[in-house]
Amino acid sequence: MRSIITLLLLLSATVFSYAQSDIKFGVKAGVNFATIGGEANQQLNQILEWTNGYVSTTGRTGMHVGGFIQIPISETVVIEPGLMYSTKGYTLKGDVDLKVLDLLGIGAKADLMSQYLDMPVLIKATLGNGFQVYAGPQISYLMNADLRTRASVLGVNLLNKKFDVTDQFNKVDAALTAGIGYEFRNGVAITAGYDYGLSRIDANKSVNARNQAVKIGMSLKF
């Protein structure tokens, strides 16, 4: 974590040193295909106190939206700090004994949605003909985490509750992000990238569960 923060500070200093350069501004939005790597089942089981159940983990579809600035350091390389609202999380489903609710949920499902502010600092290079590659560190701040549980029997909905589980997770998350893109001459670009979490997300840091996400987006540079 310290090395990531130090790198962010160094890159930020570089940004300020190029304050008189041809800085560009932009907006970006897209889709997240997020999950939690590592002991994800164990992490959510601890939160809910589930026992005696079979569960399967699937990804969660979310979104990201925000803005960025580009500071050129050469004709083909820019530094791109950004600030994005981003939803992450994952889904568990199966035949699960919900101990905390004293209910056996047949066909139960639990959906964790985490709302973050992502602050990536990317180094982006244009390879030619509009193709780009980028990579860099990212610090994220957890604004809120909700867990929605649903259970049904024979198609009849028996349970639909939402719980605030923000205090079960770390407020700060560190990651590495990288990807590819293509920028058109009018400043519109499409990107596809991957966030790999470096920090354990549970508040006690006792479970090896980390955020992971594939991000597909579109941006417009002014």
Side-chain angles (χ1 to χ4, degrees), residues 60-200:
R60 186 184 187 282
T61 302
M63 52 88 70
H64 63 272
V65 60
F68 60 89
I69 61 175
Q70 287 187 351
I71 301 94
I73 59 177
S74 74
E75 292 184 358
T76 59
V77 179
V78 299
I79 294 178
E80 185 180 290
L83 181 63
M84 306 283 173
Y85 167 79
S86 184
T87 59
K88 306 175 187 179
Y90 70 136
T91 298
L92 295 182
K93 59 184 178 180
D95 296 335
V96 185
D97 179 10
L98 302 177
K99 177 182 176 182
V100 70
L101 302 174
D102 294 323
L103 175 69
L104 178 63
I106 300 177
K109 179 180 179 181
D111 186 50
L112 174 68
M113 186 181 83
S114 304
Q115 302 179 64
Y116 283 90
L117 282 179
D118 288 344
M119 294 167 281
V121 180
L122 307 177
I123 297 178
K124 179 176 289 186
T126 299
L127 304 179
N129 297 323
F131 289 98
Q132 299 175 328
V133 294
Y134 64 86
Q138 175 176 277
I139 295 295
S140 300
Y141 178 78
L142 176 64
M143 298 186 295
N144 186 67
D146 288 328
L147 183 70
R148 182 176 292 278
T149 58
R150 302 178 180 87
S152 61
V153 176
L154 299 177
V156 179
N157 189 25
L158 301 180
L159 171 69
N160 189 348
K161 289 183 177 290
K162 184 170 72 172
F163 303 90
D164 185 346
V165 293
T166 307
D167 60 352
Q168 301 291 326
F169 297 92
N170 284 323
K171 284 290 189 179
V172 179
D173 186 31
L176 293 176
T177 182
I180 59 175
Y182 182 85
E183 183 175 311
F184 299 92
R185 292 184 179 181
N186 60 1
V188 174
I190 54 175
T191 58
Y194 182 73
D195 292 355
Y196 180 78
L198 301 176
S199 304
R200 297 189 176 194

Side-chain angles (χ1 to χ4, degrees), residues 7 9 13 25 33 36 46 49 70 75 84 99 110 115 133 155 178 190 193 197 202 222:
L7 181 55
L9 291 175
F25 297 86
F33 301 99
I36 294 179
Q46 289 179 347
E49 300 179 9
Q70 287 187 351
E75 292 184 358
M84 306 283 173
K99 177 182 176 182
Q115 302 179 64
V133 294
I190 54 175
D202 67 297
F222 305 101

